Amino acid sequence: DVVMTQSPLSLPVTLGQPASISCSSSQSLVHSDGNTYLKWFQQRPGQSPRRLIYKVSNRDSGVPDRFSGSGSGTDFTLKISRVEAEDVGIYYCMQGTHWPGTFGQGTKVEI
Amino acid sequence: QVQLVQSGAEVKKPGASVKVSCKAFGYTFTNYGISWVRQAPGQGLVWMGWISAYNGDTNFAQKLQGRVTMTTDTSTNTAYMELRSLRSDDTGVYYCARDPGFDFWGPGTTVTVSS
């Protein structure tokens, strides 16, 4: 299985300041169809995961534009340009290129 | 709008089985599959398996092979996940998610396995 490794696992943040989470995969996530199936999810306390980003950098509808995704191959990043209080939670990357889909360990973002 | 509604919390004894349902609203059920993801208390997300709502094809995580069954009922737009021979480490929250994409998730079903 593809191993997804996130860092850091805990991220203290300051309101209004930027934050960044890294995710690396044990093999390239470029699919044979040319797409890279890397997603980011946010899980607020007591809630289901919510998809924020798909195919590396595509923001889902309703996701604030302070969230952005980037990267290629095996290294990916989720950035929050200015952290707001509602961004507290755990963030997971997930690859869907190789079967089975695998998640990172999660990064806990706290103020 | 798209919504996945899951069945209620379950408490089971070790060795028993549990069947969780996931009813889909707001989209053509057979155009997508459903993946099941579980989360042990305080832990991360783990993909359990996938079922095509179109033809019933399934793929399961190797660790669960032989203990899990996934089915769908297209007449009610409902997916089911049954886990057998429950152990204490099966305790957790079980989510269904529309797949491909994992763009919509159910609220989760808490399964507690305890003697």
Side-chain angles (χ1 to χ4, degrees):
Chain A
D1 297 0
V2 174
V3 177
M4 305 296 289
T5 303
Q6 291 183 227
S7 65
L9 299 184
S10 178
L11 182 59
V13 297
T14 301
L15 294 177
Q17 294 300 303
S20 179
I21 300 169
S22 296
C23 173
S24 64
S25 57
S26 59
Q27 55 185 280
S28 173
L29 299 186
V30 180
H31 194 276
S32 56
D33 66 7
N35 291 305
T36 300
Y37 295 101
L38 186 284
K39 309 174 191 43
W40 287 97
F41 298 90
Q42 174 195 60
Q43 188 175 31
R44 290 172 171 150
Q47 295 187 13
S48 304
R50 168 198 182 195
R51 196 179 74 177
L52 300 175
I53 302 283
Y54 62 97
K55 286 195 277 187
V56 181
S57 60
N58 295 274
R59 206 166 35 246
D60 272 280
S61 173
V63 174
D65 61 7
R66 64 180 180 272
F67 289 94
S68 64
S70 63
S72 63
T74 60
D75 293 296
F76 305 92
T77 302
L78 176 71
K79 290 184 179 175
I80 310 173
S81 59
R82 292 173 308 279
V83 172
E84 297 192 5
E86 66 179 17
D87 300 336
V88 164
I90 302 177
Y91 291 78
Y92 297 91
C93 60
M94 180 206 172
Q95 67 83 18
T97 296
H98 304 283
W99 186 89
T102 45
F103 292 89
Q105 319 98 300
T107 294
K108 186 172 185 178
V109 171
E110 47 200 351
I111 306 296
Chain B
Q1 71 279 24
V2 175
Q3 196 176 4
L4 299 175
V5 177
Q6 296 185 227
S7 47
E10 302 265 12
V11 179
K12 297 291 182 180
K13 293 194 183 303
S17 298
V18 69
K19 191 170 186 177
V20 179
S21 68
C22 171
K23 187 172 174 63
F25 297 88
Y27 70 96
T28 301
F29 185 61
T30 51
N31 284 356
Y32 292 82
I34 293 287
S35 271
W36 291 88
V37 175
R38 72 176 178 179
Q39 186 169 38
Q43 301 300 307
L45 304 170
V46 179
W47 178 82
M48 298 177 65
W50 166 89
I51 181 166
S52 165
Y54 174 70
N55 60 11
D57 283 353
T58 53
N59 276 316
F60 303 128
Q62 194 166 14
K63 184 179 177 183
L64 295 173
Q65 292 273 1
R67 284 209 299 140
V68 66
T69 301
M70 294 180 186
T71 56
T72 58
D73 181 345
T74 57
S75 69
T76 60
N77 291 349
T78 303
Y80 298 91
M81 185 283 300
E82 182 179 31
L83 189 60
R84 299 176 293 279
S85 302
L86 289 169
R87 309 185 292 243
S88 57
D89 63 356
D90 291 317
T91 292
V93 180
Y94 290 72
Y95 296 101
C96 60
R98 191 171 77 163
D99 194 2
F102 290 75
D103 53 350
F104 291 94
W105 292 62
T109 296
T110 299
V111 175
T112 303
V113 183
S114 173
S115 54

